[in-house]
Amino acid sequence: MIPENSPSAAGPRPVIGVSLKLYFGLARTRAWLAEVAALDATLAALPRPVDLFVLPSFPALADARELLGATGIAFGAQNVHWADTGAFTGEVSAGMLAEAGARYVEVGHAERRRYFGETDEAVAAKTRAATRAGLIPVICAGERHAGELGTAVDETLTQVRAALAGAAPGSEVVIAYEPVWAIGAREAAPARHVRTVAGAIRDALRDHDVRGRLIYGGTAGPGTYGELADAVDGLFLGRLAHDTEGLRTVLEEIAAVEVAGGEVARGEVARGEMPGSEVPGAEVPGVQVPGVQVSGVQMPGG
């Protein structure tokens, strides 16, 4: 792993991501983006820099560009196609996202794998397309079921290594460790569990020529980062961030936690409560994307 783009004695710059999934309509998304834009003053006043990016639905990207363009808050998309152009009805290319002003793009989320049959090969191809276009892929990975820690490490690393194999040399990536069983659960995965898997992901990042940061998602909220700051670089938030005051709380908490030499200095941190067919294969350079099968298994909300 080559150095992160904002190195310091305390490690990479913390980063918070928010995906809106399909919870908001266009008008509500625009209103939410305006509230997020107002957090730029909060970000500027934090005791240390924290990066923030948000991932609305495709139709809201123009609103994101308009409302966030003058701030330090980045935006991106929740999905991308692996091809730059072609007869792929309904798909959006990485180049088009870059033209729209996107900086980040989510790939490999468990819901994409479950509902749309995305495979490790497809995620690698999407990672390649994103990095080729200069986007930062937010690569989601995590085991499906709670259980043996060794199994969690193996299952997660298989996904991470497959995705990183598609990353362009020297590119920037974010790995979002999201144990599927913790998405939409009552509480986050145990800190010891996350630290163990995160350590294995760090090792995988070092084996690839990328600039990588690692964030945790899966019922993340106030208090989560304080427990994991020695293991991850930030959080991937879901419904907690629908209320931007909750997002503000997490940003302030992360900025108050200092990590140096493996030791974590925590401020007043307390855990808060959460608000409530076959697809034809396609080739991209170096990656063969096979057909995928769609499963009907229900995913938890998150």
Side-chain angles (χ1 to χ4, degrees):
M1 180 173 67
I2 63 180
E4 215 286 309
N5 59 354
S6 301
S8 71
R13 177 182 293 187
V15 58
I16 294 296
V18 180
S19 173
L20 289 183
K21 300 192 178 184
L22 190 55
Y23 284 117
F24 290 179
L26 194 57
R28 188 177 177 193
T29 299
R30 183 177 174 85
W32 182 83
L33 288 168
E35 293 177 5
V36 170
L39 292 177
D40 194 48
T42 297
L43 286 168
L46 294 176
R48 65 167 174 158
V50 177
D51 290 339
L52 173 62
F53 67 87
V54 298
L55 307 177
S57 297
F58 286 135
L61 292 182
D63 290 316
R65 186 173 197 168
E66 175 191 342
L67 295 168
L68 302 178
T71 74
I73 301 167
F75 68 91
Q78 300 173 27
N79 188 30
V80 67
H81 193 57
W82 58 72
D84 294 332
T85 186
F88 299 103
T89 301
E91 296 294 337
V92 177
S93 72
M96 188 181 295
L97 292 177
E99 283 188 80
R103 186 78 182 101
Y104 292 81
V105 64
E106 188 175 3
V107 298
H109 192 276
E111 290 154 3
R112 298 292 312 178
R113 290 176 180 270
R114 179 65 63 193
Y115 295 141
F116 303 102
E118 291 191 359
T119 62
D120 288 343
E121 291 82 5
V123 175
K126 291 184 175 192
T127 299
R128 174 168 286 132
T131 55
R132 188 170 59 236
L135 299 176
I136 301 171
V138 181
I139 301 167
C140 299
E143 74 278 11
R144 291 182 60 189
H145 305 293
E148 173 61 39
L149 189 51
T151 301
V153 169
D154 290 344
E155 186 175 344
T156 302
L157 284 186
T158 296
Q159 298 169 19
V160 169
R161 288 171 175 152
L164 290 177
S171 58
E172 184 175 356
V173 304
V174 172
I175 304 294
Y177 171 52
E178 293 194 296
V180 179
W181 52 271
I183 298 174
R186 293 179 60 87
E187 57 186 24
R192 176 180 173 275
H193 179 103
V194 176
R195 289 194 191 99
T196 300
V197 179
I201 294 173
R202 295 277 194 201
D203 290 341
L205 281 167
R206 294 187 188 99
D207 292 337
H208 292 79
D209 180 21
V210 295
R211 291 172 289 153
R213 286 186 284 183
L214 172 60
I215 59 179
Y216 169 78
T219 316
T224 305
Y225 184 77
E227 296 179 358
L228 301 176
D230 53 347
V232 302
D233 302 312
L235 300 175
F236 200 21
L237 302 178
R239 284 172 292 175
L240 171 91
H242 290 184
D243 177 355
T244 53
E245 285 306 307
L247 176 55
R248 184 196 305 272
T249 297
V250 173
L251 288 168
E252 292 174 343
E253 175 186 291
I254 286 179
V257 177
E258 297 182 1
V259 184
E263 297 296 325
V264 180
R266 297 180 177 86
E268 294 298 322
V269 174
R271 181 174 297 281
E273 293 187 2
M274 294 286 292
S277 115
E278 186 159 314
V279 180
E283 291 187 8
V284 281
V287 176
Q288 174 68 35
V289 181
V292 293
Q293 298 297 321
V294 177
S295 170
V297 178
Q298 182 68 30
M299 284 284 295

